[in-house]
Amino acid sequence: MNSIPKIVILGAGYAGILTAQNLQKKLKNNEADVTLVNRHDYHYFTTELHMPAAGTQPDEKTYEKISNLVDEFKIDLVKSNVTEIKPEERQVVLEDGTLSYDYLIIALGGDPETFGIPGMKEHAFSIRSINSVRAIREHIETQFKEYKKDGDETRLNFVVGGAGFTGIEFVGEMANRLPELCKEYGVDPSKVGLYNVEAAPSALPGFDPELVTYAMDTLTKKGVTFRIGVPVKACDENGVTIGEGERIESKTVVWTGGIRGNHLIEDAGFEAMRGRVKVDEYLKAPGHENVFIIGDGSLMIGPEGRPYPPTAQIAMQQGERVAKNLVATIRGQQPEKFVFSNKGTVASLGKGEAVAVVAGKKIKGWPAAQLKKVVDARYLFVIGGLGLVLKKGRFL
């Protein structure tokens, strides 16, 4: 290893940006060279993407330039796509060059998990990036415009596959947005259908049953039609086939049914389950003392014997811990094990409505919706201080 170790961070999502920020705070001058690689020059707030996708919030509210979040005198920013990871050679291949490293942090986020459903990759949208949500919003608006021309009522059916957090939050925003579009384009609201299809026996799987019931009742009153315990069997350009052959004709299918780790992880030879690597208690990849995998690509088992869901909360805590442990390692000190601290869970149901569990307490309705804003503002404060809260926060 060189006298000054090279640290490479792949990805500037929640896990990657927190790793970079904590390294720049804790490392002294010339203790390490740190490089942050990301395909875009901005960091986006994944937990808010459902709003610009539905058109209820401008997309510029959900991202910030990375150069405004890290000190470029301490962190070398490289805008590029990663094409290959070579752990044995300690190299990362980019589309325009190669980086060598002594320590590698893989925080590349995830890919949509379609579970092999025919046509899903080809015909469904996914909420995964700023570009993808722009495409969804524009497509939805186009359906109203085209309906006024051709009268095809299937354009007014909107299908969301998956009723986990992303799916529920997205249909909540859509339930607010669709009446506005009906008014704007002079469309009879009774002709519009909003469907949420979930293979599991419950929406928001694993969430408190009382709050799940509240969420479904609230969204049903807003016009959402739930098909729970009914799997999507196929997707095509004209809609979806669900259950035992039932059809929902639609020109708009948005898939939120799950994510898997980035394909580059499996391609690199790491042993993975759906693209996620079961990391050790220090967040290291098995057999690789110098490779850390955090965020959506990591798999950790909780005390109840079930994997932790890949949330922003755990990704942030992993980023902070990896940074502290890298600094400790460089200084010859003992690293600490990662222990997840669950701060609670909040799911938005559209404007003025949400459900939450915090410190074992159930919260619903308007108070939970305000809590959601506080949670989002807290993250903005962590990565960018009060200035970013004022710039990107939601106060109404």
Side-chain angles (χ1 to χ4, degrees):
M1 186 180 292
N2 298 330
S3 57
I4 299 179
K6 296 179 180 178
I7 300 172
V8 174
I9 306 166
L10 303 182
Y14 291 108
I17 205 74
L18 264 293
T19 302
Q21 289 190 326
N22 278 272
L23 283 174
Q24 75 179 20
K25 290 176 185 176
K26 298 178 184 302
L27 285 170
K28 299 176 183 177
N29 289 336
N30 298 321
E31 270 196 301
D33 288 332
V34 183
T35 300
L36 175 60
V37 181
N38 199 59
R39 68 170 60 186
H40 305 295
D41 61 0
Y42 54 83
H43 162 78
Y44 56 84
F45 320 136
T46 308
T47 58
E48 296 187 32
L49 289 180
H50 58 282
M51 291 183 283
T56 56
Q57 175 172 286
D59 54 42
E60 59 264 23
K61 277 277 191 178
T62 55
Y63 65 90
E64 178 68 357
K65 277 188 166 292
I66 298 172
S67 57
N68 293 335
L69 303 176
V70 301
D71 185 345
E72 292 186 84
F73 289 104
K74 296 181 178 179
I75 306 290
D76 183 22
L77 300 179
V78 175
K79 179 185 173 184
S80 186
N81 280 312
V82 180
T83 61
E84 187 179 3
I85 300 168
K86 297 181 175 181
E88 303 306 324
E89 290 90 342
R90 297 192 175 191
Q91 290 183 337
V92 175
V93 181
L94 309 179
E95 60 185 358
D96 49 6
T98 301
L99 293 174
S100 298
Y101 63 83
D102 296 304
Y103 298 102
L104 178 66
I105 299 95
I106 301 175
L108 287 168
D111 296 328
E113 175 58 274
T114 60
F115 302 102
I117 298 172
M120 192 61 75
K121 286 184 179 179
E122 295 81 7
H123 301 291
F125 293 93
S126 62
I127 300 173
R128 57 180 301 196
S129 67
I130 296 297
N131 289 335
S132 74
V133 301
R134 284 172 177 162
I136 293 170
R137 183 192 68 241
E138 291 169 2
H139 175 83
I140 291 168
E141 293 172 355
T142 296
Q143 298 318 299
F144 280 84
K145 294 175 185 176
E146 294 300 313
Y147 168 74
K148 297 299 290 184
K149 296 177 183 178
D150 61 21
D152 183 353
E153 293 189 3
T154 67
R155 294 188 182 279
L156 303 180
N157 284 339
F158 301 91
V159 179
V160 180
F165 274 80
T166 302
I168 286 293
E169 293 193 320
F170 179 59
V171 295
E173 297 300 319
M174 284 288 288
N176 288 134
R177 179 62 173 151
L178 290 175
E180 296 174 354
L181 290 171
C182 287
K183 184 176 180 180
E184 180 179 348
Y185 290 97
V187 172
D188 181 354
S190 67
K191 295 183 181 295
V192 176
L194 177 56
Y195 301 86
N196 191 198
V197 185
E198 170 60 57
S202 170
L204 295 172
F207 205 56
D208 179 85
E210 177 188 335
L211 296 181
V212 173
T213 298
Y214 178 86
M216 291 183 64
D217 287 347
T218 298
L219 293 173
T220 298
K221 291 174 183 176
K222 288 186 174 186
V224 179
T225 298
F226 285 100
R227 302 292 280 116
I228 303 299
V230 181
V232 177
K233 294 294 184 69
C235 177
D236 56 53
E237 66 270 20
N238 294 314
V240 293
T241 302
I242 66 174
E244 299 301 318
E246 178 184 349
R247 283 286 296 179
I248 301 177
E249 300 295 335
S250 172
K251 298 292 192 294
T252 309
V253 178
V254 180
W255 179 247
T256 69
I259 59 170
R260 56 180 288 120
N262 191 287
H263 68 92
L264 290 167
I265 293 174
E266 285 181 311
D267 294 347
F270 296 106
E271 185 177 344
M273 299 169 58
R274 289 175 53 194
R276 302 178 68 194
V277 175
K278 188 176 180 180
V279 295
D280 69 11
E281 52 202 357
Y282 299 100
L283 304 172
K284 296 178 181 179
H288 298 273
E289 283 295 307
N290 65 332
V291 178
F292 301 82
I293 302 179
I294 56 179
D296 293 342
S298 70
L299 179 66
M300 299 198 76
I301 307 299
E304 298 178 352
R306 295 196 299 267
Y308 288 120
T311 63
Q313 182 180 177
I314 193 170
M316 292 168 62
Q317 293 182 30
Q318 288 176 329
E320 292 172 355
R321 173 48 55 200
V322 163
K324 292 176 182 176
N325 282 352
L326 276 173
V327 173
T329 299
I330 289 169
R331 295 174 182 171
Q333 301 167 354
Q334 181 64 31
E336 295 182 20
K337 298 177 182 179
F338 174 77
V339 179
F340 175 52
S341 175
N342 191 342
K343 308 298 184 184
T345 308
V346 188
S348 170
L349 306 175
K351 187 175 182 180
E353 286 282 357
V355 288
V357 177
V358 180
K361 183 178 180 181
K362 303 173 189 177
I363 308 171
K364 55 191 176 184
W366 188 85
Q370 304 317 301
L371 179 61
K372 170 71 171 174
K373 294 178 183 178
V374 171
V375 170
D376 292 341
R378 180 186 178 278
Y379 175 69
L380 295 174
F381 184 79
V382 167
I383 65 168
L386 182 59
L388 191 61
V389 175
L390 296 175
K391 182 179 179 183
K392 303 290 185 178
R394 291 181 295 126
F395 304 104
L396 299 176

